[in-house]
Amino acid sequence: MSEQENSLPQAPKWTDYKLPDLLFTDAVRQLHATIGKEWDALQQSACQTAAGRALWRHVIHDPLADLLAGEKYLRSLHEKIKKDCINNASEISGVILAVRTLWVDSKLEEALHPSHGKDTQVVLLGAGMDTRAYRLGCLKECDVFEVDLPEVLQMKASLLQAAMEYTSDHQNQRIIAKSLTRVDADIKGNDWLEKLKVSGYEPEKNTVWILEGILYYLTHPQAMQVLKIIADKCKITRTTLLADFMNKPSTTLSNSLFHFYSDWPDHLLPSLGFSHVKLSQIGDPDAHFGLLHDPSNLFNRLRSLPRSIHTNPDGTPCCRLYLVTASGSPNQTLEPVDLSLNIST
């Protein structure tokens, strides 16, 4: 048995979950009512992600997740989880969000290791309801920038303020990062980088860029523009990208809001200027975290198939989520890419 299997997290008692009283205060309810009425599906996905972090609390420490998710999304995901448990499902709803969160957390900590230099800034594009600046100790020496639409950032600030007014214990609302700057900008547009610079981002400083749960909502030209802007920074300073990519079948599902895809992000990113790229799939050794107990789960089945296959043996789309780390710096050269590669690893 591997070390990872020896340290499996204890399975939670999903039925014991209780919504925190804070969610039933007038202020918080009114704010989440506004989200329900005025936010589009992309903006609301930020609350869905927060719900995943809240309900997988046995492996993710995010005390603010309940508040930012809201009653609607917490109840919805909790019902799905309970049904999965009753049906002995091979994977539990929300596990993909939990794995993705833990993967980004772990890769961010690696990227901020002292051997890579202490003077590093972190930029979250499409930050949504992210709270890493409040919960990760590895950010204590980092300037953090959250970039998103003004209504999203203002709503998050309003929810955090409502929580501070509700309780005298403000421990969870304290920023751990050296600094946190919220930047009102739409990464679909052309001016977000300039707004980031005006807000204090320094192009010459080592930077970790996080694109979590956002790229596939963009059109192909929009996503490529964002990736090219980040890749260009490799010519100036040590640059690290942490991002998740969908493959083409994932964007063809009915009612899909997804547009951008890449079946081979480990080929795409070197072509843009990143010198080192590592790709993982859910269930790989660095993207497992002891959360996928059933050997027959969906993600293990996907990993057993070549990445070039777009249709499962049963005829359903072969939908994959790739977790990708890419980096580069002025003194690094591009590694050769084997374009004939079509295996799952």
Coordinates of all heavy atoms in Angstrom, one line a residue, residues 212-277:
E212 N -8.1 29.0 -12.8 CA -8.8 27.8 -12.3 C -10.3 27.9 -12.7 O -11.0 28.9 -12.3 CB -8.7 27.7 -10.8 CG -9.4 26.5 -10.2 CD -9.3 26.4 -8.7 OE1 -8.9 27.4 -8.1 OE2 -9.7 25.3 -8.1
G213 N -10.8 27.0 -13.4 CA -12.2 26.9 -13.8 C -12.7 28.1 -14.6 O -13.9 28.5 -14.5
I214 N -11.9 28.6 -15.5 CA -12.2 29.8 -16.2 C -12.0 29.7 -17.7 O -12.7 30.2 -18.5 CB -11.5 31.1 -15.6 CG1 -12.0 32.4 -16.3 CG2 -10.0 31.0 -15.7 CD1 -13.5 32.7 -16.1
L215 N -10.9 29.1 -18.1 CA -10.5 29.1 -19.5 C -11.6 28.6 -20.5 O -11.8 29.2 -21.5 CB -9.2 28.3 -19.7 CG -7.9 28.9 -19.5 CD1 -6.7 27.9 -19.6 CD2 -7.6 30.1 -20.5
Y216 N -12.2 27.6 -20.1 CA -13.2 27.0 -21.1 C -14.5 27.8 -21.2 O -15.3 27.5 -22.1 CB -13.6 25.5 -20.6 CG -13.4 25.2 -19.2 CD1 -14.3 25.5 -18.2 CD2 -12.2 24.6 -18.8 CE1 -14.1 25.1 -16.9 CE2 -12.0 24.3 -17.4 CZ -12.9 24.6 -16.5 OH -12.7 24.2 -15.2
Y217 N -14.7 28.8 -20.4 CA -15.8 29.7 -20.6 C -15.5 30.8 -21.6 O -16.4 31.5 -22.1 CB -16.2 30.4 -19.3 CG -16.9 29.5 -18.3 CD1 -16.2 28.9 -17.2 CD2 -18.2 29.2 -18.4 CE1 -16.8 28.1 -16.3 CE2 -18.9 28.4 -17.4 CZ -18.2 27.8 -16.4 OH -18.8 27.0 -15.5
L218 N -14.2 30.9 -22.0 CA -13.8 31.9 -23.0 C -13.9 31.3 -24.4 O -13.9 30.1 -24.6 CB -12.4 32.3 -22.7 CG -12.0 32.8 -21.3 CD1 -10.6 33.2 -21.2 CD2 -12.9 33.9 -20.8
T219 N -14.0 32.2 -25.3 CA -13.9 31.8 -26.7 C -12.5 31.4 -27.0 O -11.6 31.8 -26.2 CB -14.4 32.9 -27.7 OG1 -13.5 34.0 -27.6 CG2 -15.8 33.4 -27.4
H220 N -12.3 30.8 -28.1 CA -10.9 30.4 -28.5 C -10.0 31.6 -28.6 O -8.9 31.6 -28.0 CB -10.9 29.6 -29.8 CG -9.5 29.0 -30.1 ND1 -9.1 27.8 -29.5 CD2 -8.5 29.4 -30.8 CE1 -7.9 27.5 -29.9 NE2 -7.5 28.5 -30.8
P221 N -10.4 32.7 -29.3 CA -9.5 33.8 -29.4 C -9.2 34.5 -28.1 O -8.1 34.9 -27.8 CB -10.3 34.8 -30.4 CG -11.1 33.9 -31.2 CD -11.5 32.8 -30.2
Q222 N -10.2 34.5 -27.2 CA -10.1 35.2 -25.9 C -9.1 34.4 -25.0 O -8.2 34.9 -24.4 CB -11.4 35.3 -25.2 CG -12.4 36.3 -25.8 CD -13.8 36.1 -25.3 OE1 -14.1 35.1 -24.6 NE2 -14.6 37.1 -25.5
A223 N -9.3 33.0 -25.0 CA -8.4 32.2 -24.2 C -7.0 32.2 -24.7 O -6.0 32.3 -23.9 CB -8.9 30.7 -24.2
M224 N -6.8 32.2 -26.0 CA -5.4 32.2 -26.6 C -4.8 33.6 -26.3 O -3.6 33.6 -26.0 CB -5.5 32.0 -28.1 CG -5.9 30.5 -28.5 SD -4.6 29.3 -27.8 CE -3.2 29.8 -28.8
Q225 N -5.5 34.6 -26.3 CA -4.9 35.9 -26.0 C -4.4 36.0 -24.6 O -3.3 36.4 -24.3 CB -6.0 37.0 -26.2 CG -5.4 38.4 -25.9 CD -6.5 39.5 -26.0 OE1 -7.6 39.3 -25.5 NE2 -6.2 40.6 -26.6
V226 N -5.2 35.4 -23.6 CA -4.8 35.4 -22.2 C -3.6 34.6 -22.1 O -2.6 35.0 -21.4 CB -6.0 34.9 -21.3 CG1 -5.5 34.6 -19.9 CG2 -7.1 35.8 -21.3
L227 N -3.6 33.4 -22.7 CA -2.4 32.5 -22.5 C -1.1 33.1 -23.2 O 0.0 32.9 -22.6 CB -2.7 31.1 -23.2 CG -3.8 30.3 -22.5 CD1 -4.1 29.1 -23.3 CD2 -3.3 29.9 -21.1
K228 N -1.3 33.8 -24.3 CA -0.1 34.4 -24.9 C 0.4 35.5 -24.1 O 1.7 35.7 -24.0 CB -0.5 34.9 -26.3 CG -0.7 33.8 -27.4 CD -1.2 34.4 -28.7 CE -1.4 33.3 -29.7 NZ -2.0 33.8 -31.0
I229 N -0.4 36.3 -23.5 CA 0.0 37.4 -22.6 C 0.9 36.8 -21.5 O 1.9 37.4 -21.1 CB -1.2 38.2 -22.1 CG1 -1.8 39.0 -23.2 CG2 -0.8 39.1 -20.9 CD1 -3.1 39.7 -22.8
I230 N 0.4 35.8 -20.9 CA 1.1 35.1 -19.7 C 2.4 34.5 -20.2 O 3.5 34.7 -19.6 CB 0.2 34.1 -19.0 CG1 -1.0 34.8 -18.4 CG2 1.0 33.4 -17.9 CD1 -2.0 33.8 -17.8
A231 N 2.4 33.8 -21.4 CA 3.6 33.2 -21.9 C 4.6 34.2 -22.2 O 5.8 33.9 -22.1 CB 3.2 32.3 -23.1
D232 N 4.2 35.4 -22.7 CA 5.2 36.4 -23.0 C 6.0 36.8 -21.8 O 7.1 37.3 -22.0 CB 4.5 37.6 -23.6 CG 4.1 37.4 -25.1 OD1 4.6 36.4 -25.7 OD2 3.3 38.2 -25.6
K233 N 5.5 36.7 -20.6 CA 6.2 37.1 -19.4 C 7.4 36.2 -19.1 O 8.3 36.5 -18.4 CB 5.2 37.1 -18.2 CG 4.0 38.0 -18.4 CD 4.4 39.4 -18.7 CE 3.2 40.2 -19.0 NZ 3.6 41.6 -19.6
C234 N 7.4 35.0 -19.8 CA 8.5 34.1 -19.6 C 9.8 34.7 -20.1 O 10.9 34.3 -19.7 CB 8.3 32.8 -20.3 SG 6.9 31.8 -19.6
K235 N 9.7 35.7 -21.0 CA 10.9 36.4 -21.6 C 11.4 37.4 -20.6 O 12.6 37.8 -20.8 CB 10.5 37.1 -22.9 CG 9.9 36.2 -24.0 CD 9.3 37.0 -25.1 CE 8.6 36.1 -26.1 NZ 8.0 36.9 -27.2
I236 N 10.6 37.7 -19.6 CA 11.0 38.8 -18.7 C 11.4 38.3 -17.3 O 12.4 38.8 -16.7 CB 9.8 39.8 -18.5 CG1 9.4 40.4 -19.9 CG2 10.2 40.9 -17.6 CD1 8.1 41.2 -19.8
T237 N 10.7 37.3 -16.8 CA 10.9 36.8 -15.4 C 10.4 35.4 -15.3 O 9.8 34.9 -16.2 CB 10.2 37.8 -14.4 OG1 10.5 37.4 -13.1 CG2 8.6 37.6 -14.6
R238 N 10.7 34.8 -14.1 CA 10.2 33.4 -13.9 C 8.7 33.5 -13.8 O 8.1 34.2 -13.0 CB 10.8 32.9 -12.6 CG 10.3 31.5 -12.3 CD 10.9 30.9 -11.0 NE 10.3 29.6 -10.8 CZ 10.7 28.4 -11.3 NH1 11.7 28.5 -12.2 NH2 10.1 27.3 -11.1
T239 N 8.1 32.7 -14.6 CA 6.6 32.7 -14.8 C 6.1 31.3 -14.7 O 6.5 30.4 -15.3 CB 6.2 33.3 -16.2 OG1 6.8 34.6 -16.3 CG2 4.7 33.4 -16.3
T240 N 5.0 31.2 -13.8 CA 4.4 29.9 -13.6 C 2.9 30.0 -13.9 O 2.3 30.9 -13.4 CB 4.6 29.3 -12.2 OG1 6.0 29.2 -12.0 CG2 4.0 27.9 -12.0
L241 N 2.4 29.0 -14.6 CA 0.9 29.0 -14.9 C 0.4 27.7 -14.3 O 0.9 26.6 -14.5 CB 0.7 29.0 -16.4 CG -0.7 28.7 -16.9 CD1 -1.7 29.9 -16.5 CD2 -0.8 28.5 -18.4
L242 N -0.7 27.9 -13.5 CA -1.5 26.7 -13.0 C -2.9 26.9 -13.6 O -3.6 27.9 -13.4 CB -1.6 26.8 -11.5 CG -0.3 26.8 -10.8 CD1 -0.5 26.9 -9.3 CD2 0.6 25.6 -11.1
A243 N -3.3 25.9 -14.4 CA -4.6 26.0 -15.1 C -5.2 24.7 -15.4 O -4.5 23.6 -15.4 CB -4.4 26.8 -16.5
D244 N -6.5 24.7 -15.6 CA -7.2 23.4 -16.0 C -7.8 23.6 -17.4 O -8.3 24.7 -17.7 CB -8.2 23.0 -15.0 CG -9.3 24.0 -14.7 OD1 -8.9 25.2 -14.6 OD2 -10.5 23.7 -14.5
F245 N -7.7 22.6 -18.2 CA -8.2 22.6 -19.6 C -9.2 21.5 -19.8 O -9.0 20.4 -19.3 CB -7.0 22.4 -20.6 CG -6.0 23.5 -20.6 CD1 -5.1 23.7 -19.6 CD2 -6.0 24.4 -21.7 CE1 -4.1 24.7 -19.7 CE2 -5.0 25.4 -21.8 CZ -4.1 25.6 -20.8
M246 N -10.2 21.8 -20.6 CA -11.1 20.7 -21.0 C -10.7 20.3 -22.4 O -10.2 21.0 -23.2 CB -12.6 21.3 -21.1 CG -13.2 21.4 -19.8 SD -15.0 22.0 -20.0 CE -15.5 21.8 -18.3
N247 N -11.1 19.0 -22.7 CA -10.9 18.5 -24.1 C -12.1 18.8 -24.9 O -13.1 19.3 -24.4 CB -10.5 17.0 -24.1 CG -11.6 16.1 -23.7 OD1 -12.6 16.6 -23.1 ND2 -11.5 14.9 -24.0
K248 N -12.0 18.6 -26.2 CA -13.1 18.9 -27.1 C -14.5 18.3 -26.7 O -15.5 19.0 -26.7 CB -12.8 18.6 -28.5 CG -13.8 19.1 -29.5 CD -13.4 18.9 -31.0 CE -14.4 19.4 -32.0 NZ -13.9 19.2 -33.4
P249 N -14.5 17.0 -26.4 CA -15.8 16.4 -26.1 C -16.5 17.1 -24.9 O -17.8 17.1 -24.8 CB -15.5 14.9 -25.8 CG -14.2 14.7 -26.6 CD -13.5 15.9 -26.5
S250 N -15.8 17.6 -24.0 CA -16.4 18.3 -22.8 C -17.2 19.5 -23.2 O -18.1 19.9 -22.5 CB -15.3 18.7 -21.8 OG -14.6 17.6 -21.4
T251 N -16.8 20.1 -24.3 CA -17.5 21.4 -24.8 C -18.7 21.1 -25.7 O -19.4 22.0 -26.1 CB -16.5 22.3 -25.5 OG1 -16.1 21.7 -26.7 CG2 -15.3 22.6 -24.6
T252 N -18.9 19.8 -26.0 CA -20.0 19.5 -27.0 C -21.2 18.9 -26.3 O -22.2 18.5 -27.0 CB -19.5 18.5 -28.0 OG1 -19.1 17.3 -27.3 CG2 -18.3 19.0 -28.8
L253 N -21.2 18.9 -25.0 CA -22.4 18.4 -24.2 C -23.6 19.3 -24.4 O -23.4 20.5 -24.6 CB -22.1 18.2 -22.8 CG -20.9 17.3 -22.4 CD1 -20.6 17.3 -20.9 CD2 -21.2 15.8 -22.9
S254 N -24.8 18.8 -24.3 CA -26.0 19.6 -24.5 C -26.0 20.7 -23.4 O -25.6 20.5 -22.2 CB -27.2 18.7 -24.4 OG -27.3 18.1 -23.1
N255 N -26.5 21.9 -23.8 CA -26.6 23.0 -22.9 C -25.2 23.5 -22.3 O -25.1 24.1 -21.3 CB -27.5 22.7 -21.7 CG -28.9 22.4 -22.2 OD1 -29.4 23.0 -23.1 ND2 -29.5 21.4 -21.5
S256 N -24.1 23.1 -23.0 CA -22.8 23.4 -22.5 C -22.5 24.9 -22.7 O -22.9 25.5 -23.7 CB -21.7 22.6 -23.3 OG -20.4 23.0 -22.9
L257 N -22.0 25.5 -21.6 CA -21.6 26.9 -21.7 C -20.1 27.0 -22.1 O -19.5 28.1 -22.1 CB -21.8 27.6 -20.3 CG -23.2 27.6 -19.8 CD1 -23.3 28.1 -18.4 CD2 -24.1 28.6 -20.7
F258 N -19.4 25.9 -22.3 CA -18.0 25.9 -22.6 C -17.7 26.1 -24.0 O -18.4 25.6 -24.9 CB -17.4 24.6 -22.1 CG -17.8 24.3 -20.6 CD1 -18.3 23.0 -20.3 CD2 -17.7 25.2 -19.6 CE1 -18.6 22.7 -19.0 CE2 -18.0 25.0 -18.3 CZ -18.5 23.7 -18.0
H259 N -16.6 26.8 -24.3 CA -16.2 27.1 -25.6 C -14.7 26.6 -25.9 O -14.5 25.8 -26.8 CB -16.3 28.6 -25.9 CG -17.7 29.1 -25.6 ND1 -18.7 28.9 -26.5 CD2 -18.1 29.9 -24.6 CE1 -19.8 29.5 -25.9 NE2 -19.5 30.1 -24.8
F260 N -13.8 27.2 -25.2 CA -12.4 26.9 -25.5 C -12.0 25.5 -25.0 O -12.4 25.1 -23.9 CB -11.5 27.9 -24.8 CG -10.0 27.6 -24.9 CD1 -9.3 27.8 -26.1 CD2 -9.3 27.1 -23.8 CE1 -8.0 27.5 -26.2 CE2 -7.9 26.8 -23.9 CZ -7.3 27.0 -25.1
Y261 N -11.2 24.8 -25.8 CA -10.8 23.5 -25.4 C -9.4 23.3 -25.9 O -8.9 24.0 -26.8 CB -11.7 22.4 -25.9 CG -11.7 22.2 -27.4 CD1 -10.7 21.4 -28.0 CD2 -12.6 22.9 -28.2 CE1 -10.7 21.3 -29.4 CE2 -12.6 22.8 -29.5 CZ -11.6 22.0 -30.2 OH -11.6 21.9 -31.5
S262 N -8.7 22.3 -25.3 CA -7.4 21.9 -25.9 C -7.2 20.4 -25.6 O -7.2 20.0 -24.4 CB -6.2 22.7 -25.3 OG -5.0 22.2 -25.8
D263 N -7.1 19.6 -26.6 CA -6.9 18.1 -26.4 C -5.4 17.9 -26.0 O -5.1 16.9 -25.4 CB -7.2 17.4 -27.6 CG -8.7 17.4 -27.9 OD1 -9.5 17.1 -27.0 OD2 -9.1 17.6 -29.1
W264 N -4.6 18.8 -26.3 CA -3.1 18.7 -26.0 C -2.5 19.9 -25.5 O -1.7 20.6 -26.1 CB -2.4 18.2 -27.3 CG -2.9 17.0 -27.9 CD1 -3.9 16.9 -28.9 CD2 -2.6 15.7 -27.5 NE1 -4.1 15.6 -29.2 CE2 -3.4 14.8 -28.3 CE3 -1.7 15.1 -26.6 CZ2 -3.3 13.4 -28.2 CZ3 -1.7 13.7 -26.4 CH2 -2.4 12.9 -27.2
P265 N -2.9 20.4 -24.3 CA -2.4 21.6 -23.7 C -0.9 21.5 -23.5 O -0.2 22.5 -23.5 CB -3.1 21.8 -22.4 CG -3.7 20.4 -22.1 CD -4.0 19.8 -23.4
D266 N -0.3 20.2 -23.3 CA 1.1 20.1 -23.1 C 1.9 20.3 -24.4 O 3.1 20.3 -24.4 CB 1.4 18.7 -22.5 CG 0.6 17.6 -23.1 OD1 -0.4 17.8 -23.8 OD2 1.0 16.4 -23.0
H267 N 1.2 20.4 -25.5 CA 1.8 20.8 -26.8 C 1.5 22.2 -27.1 O 2.4 22.9 -27.6 CB 1.2 19.9 -28.0 CG 1.5 18.5 -27.9 ND1 1.0 17.5 -28.7 CD2 2.3 17.8 -27.0 CE1 1.4 16.3 -28.4 NE2 2.2 16.4 -27.4
L268 N 0.3 22.7 -26.7 CA 0.0 24.1 -27.0 C 0.9 25.1 -26.2 O 1.4 26.0 -26.8 CB -1.5 24.3 -26.6 CG -2.0 25.8 -26.6 CD1 -2.0 26.4 -28.0 CD2 -3.4 25.8 -25.9
L269 N 1.1 24.8 -25.0 CA 1.8 25.8 -24.1 C 3.2 26.0 -24.5 O 3.7 27.1 -24.5 CB 1.6 25.4 -22.6 CG 0.2 25.6 -22.1 CD1 0.0 25.1 -20.7 CD2 -0.3 27.0 -22.2
P270 N 4.0 24.9 -24.8 CA 5.3 25.1 -25.3 C 5.4 25.9 -26.6 O 6.3 26.7 -26.8 CB 5.9 23.7 -25.5 CG 5.1 22.9 -24.6 CD 3.7 23.5 -24.6
S271 N 4.4 25.8 -27.5 CA 4.3 26.5 -28.7 C 4.2 28.0 -28.5 O 4.5 28.9 -29.3 CB 3.2 26.0 -29.6 OG 1.9 26.5 -29.2
L272 N 3.6 28.4 -27.3 CA 3.5 29.8 -26.9 C 4.7 30.4 -26.2 O 4.8 31.6 -26.1 CB 2.2 29.9 -26.0 CG 0.9 29.5 -26.6 CD1 -0.2 29.7 -25.6 CD2 0.6 30.3 -27.9
G273 N 5.6 29.5 -25.7 CA 6.8 30.1 -25.1 C 7.1 29.5 -23.7 O 8.1 29.9 -23.1
F274 N 6.3 28.6 -23.1 CA 6.6 28.0 -21.9 C 7.6 26.9 -22.1 O 7.5 26.1 -23.1 CB 5.4 27.4 -21.2 CG 4.4 28.4 -20.7 CD1 3.3 28.8 -21.4 CD2 4.7 29.0 -19.4 CE1 2.4 29.7 -20.9 CE2 3.8 29.9 -18.9 CZ 2.7 30.3 -19.7
S275 N 8.7 26.8 -21.3 CA 9.7 25.8 -21.5 C 9.5 24.5 -20.7 O 10.1 23.5 -21.1 CB 11.1 26.4 -21.0 OG 11.0 26.9 -19.7
H276 N 8.7 24.5 -19.7 CA 8.4 23.3 -18.9 C 6.9 23.2 -18.7 O 6.3 24.1 -18.2 CB 9.1 23.3 -17.6 CG 10.6 23.4 -17.6 ND1 11.4 22.3 -18.0 CD2 11.5 24.4 -17.4 CE1 12.7 22.7 -18.0 NE2 12.7 24.0 -17.7
V277 N 6.4 22.0 -19.1 CA 4.9 21.8 -19.0 C 4.7 20.4 -18.5 O 5.3 19.4 -19.0 CB 4.2 22.0 -20.4 CG1 2.7 21.7 -20.2 CG2 4.4 23.3 -20.9

